Amino acid sequence: MVVQQHRRRGVAFAVVTMAGVVAATAGCSGSGGAVADDRPGSDPAAVLRAADALLAAGSSKASTSMEMAAGGTRVTIRGEGGYDFGERMGRLRVVLPKEPAGASEHRPITELLSPGALYMKNRGAGVPADKWVRVDSTTLEDGNLVTGGATDPLTAAELLRAARNVTFVAEQDLAGTRVWHYKGVTDIGRAAKAASPYARGALGAAAKGFGEDAVPFDAYLDDAGRLRKVRHRFSYVNQGRTVAVASTTLLYAFGEPVAVTLPPQDDIFAGEIKS
């Protein structure tokens, strides 16, 4: 596993790489028989309102995975934590994969998600263990949809505000909860315009940085219209190579308290991140 340094607008930030690769609205329509009843989750149009349903839910636990593939190389980064939708803040423990040669495991990275910024601790790359790295999401070419190894759960839902060609797949069980599975395509640029104010800057940056603006997705909604699972498939260009990125977010235990405290300025690393 190699950590490469990149700079954009004077801000240093790190993305996970392996073998030089980044580990790194229109109308809504359902297929025939898609709407089984009048509950929110059974309505294809509820996909467009997924972010609003999460805001109403208040908070939840979250599990994330990010699979990246390019040139025959594939890696998966996993995260666990919680998210306070009202505060637009979350905390994840992100685990990087082992080195291909079987070297010792990387220390888990603690990530704090907040409007416009990502904070990382145990980042390595010359950063002291007791210091945080702060990244401005609006300075990243991907808007931090993939840089942190996890997509911000609420931003993942905000992307669905531009969902189109939404079709019903199946009613199914997801970890003991009945959900309605839909698939469709969203557009990062249109989502940036339709998103809540806190997400517009990052999504606007992503609209310029991704190889393709169109993002296929699978979304799973519960009875209340809350997003239980969402999987986006991004196409991201890094160092002239196209990287396929599949980002999956699972949300559960809604209403579970989530406490996120941002680090004080003195605890934020101000030095150069080594490559």
Side-chain angles (χ1 to χ4, degrees):
M1 182 69 62
V2 179
V3 177
Q4 289 189 330
Q5 179 185 352
H6 298 257
R7 289 186 177 276
R8 180 174 174 84
R9 300 181 198 173
V11 178
F13 66 100
V15 293
V16 180
T17 68
M18 177 173 284
V21 178
V22 169
T25 100
C28 181
S29 63
S31 60
V35 181
D37 52 44
D38 60 355
R39 280 170 287 190
S42 65
D43 176 9
V47 171
L48 300 170
R49 303 188 296 271
D52 295 327
L54 293 183
L55 289 170
S59 62
S60 78
K61 292 185 178 180
S63 175
T64 67
S65 71
M66 186 167 286
E67 305 164 32
M68 289 146 283
T73 300
R74 182 181 297 273
V75 297
T76 301
I77 300 172
R78 303 187 185 280
E80 293 285 345
Y83 201 96
D84 186 320
F85 301 110
E87 297 294 331
R88 279 78 166 173
M89 296 174 66
R91 184 184 184 95
L92 294 175
R93 180 180 183 270
V94 176
V95 179
L96 305 181
K98 290 183 179 180
E99 296 280 1
S104 60
E105 294 186 10
H106 296 269
R107 294 182 63 189
I109 298 173
T110 300
E111 295 190 0
L112 304 181
L113 309 169
S114 68
L118 167 69
Y119 296 81
M120 295 179 286
K121 193 173 185 179
N122 292 336
R123 183 63 195 84
V127 180
D130 62 340
K131 294 292 184 180
W132 294 82
V133 174
R134 182 186 184 280
V135 181
D136 183 343
S137 301
T138 63
T139 67
L140 302 179
E141 291 184 350
D142 71 310
N144 192 35
L145 291 178
V146 303
T147 289
T151 303
D152 180 298
L154 190 54
T155 300
E158 291 285 353
L159 275 170
L160 299 178
R161 291 191 188 276
R164 54 188 171 84
N165 300 328
V166 180
T167 58
F168 175 71
V169 177
E171 179 184 330
Q172 63 190 75
D173 179 270
L174 179 65
T177 298
R178 184 168 67 161
V179 296
W180 285 263
H181 176 191
Y182 295 96
K183 66 189 308 179
V185 178
T186 190
D187 182 286
I188 300 176
R190 291 179 179 175
K193 296 177 181 178
S196 300
Y198 90 96
R200 290 174 189 167
L203 288 178
K208 300 175 182 177
F210 275 90
E212 296 181 8
D213 212 25
V215 178
F217 69 84
D218 286 83
Y220 303 75
L221 306 178
D222 66 12
D223 280 353
R226 298 174 300 194
L227 196 62
R228 290 288 183 148
K229 177 181 177 180
V230 62
R231 181 179 178 87
H232 294 98
R233 292 177 292 283
F234 301 108
S235 176
Y236 183 67
V237 178
N238 180 67
Q239 299 180 345
R241 305 182 69 182
T242 299
V243 184
V245 182
S247 178
T248 303
T249 301
L250 291 168
L251 300 174
Y252 58 100
F254 288 98
E256 187 80 13
V258 177
V260 181
T261 301
L262 299 183
Q265 188 63 39
D266 289 347
D267 289 345
I268 298 176
F269 183 65
E272 181 176 344
I273 299 175
K274 298 178 181 179
S275 57

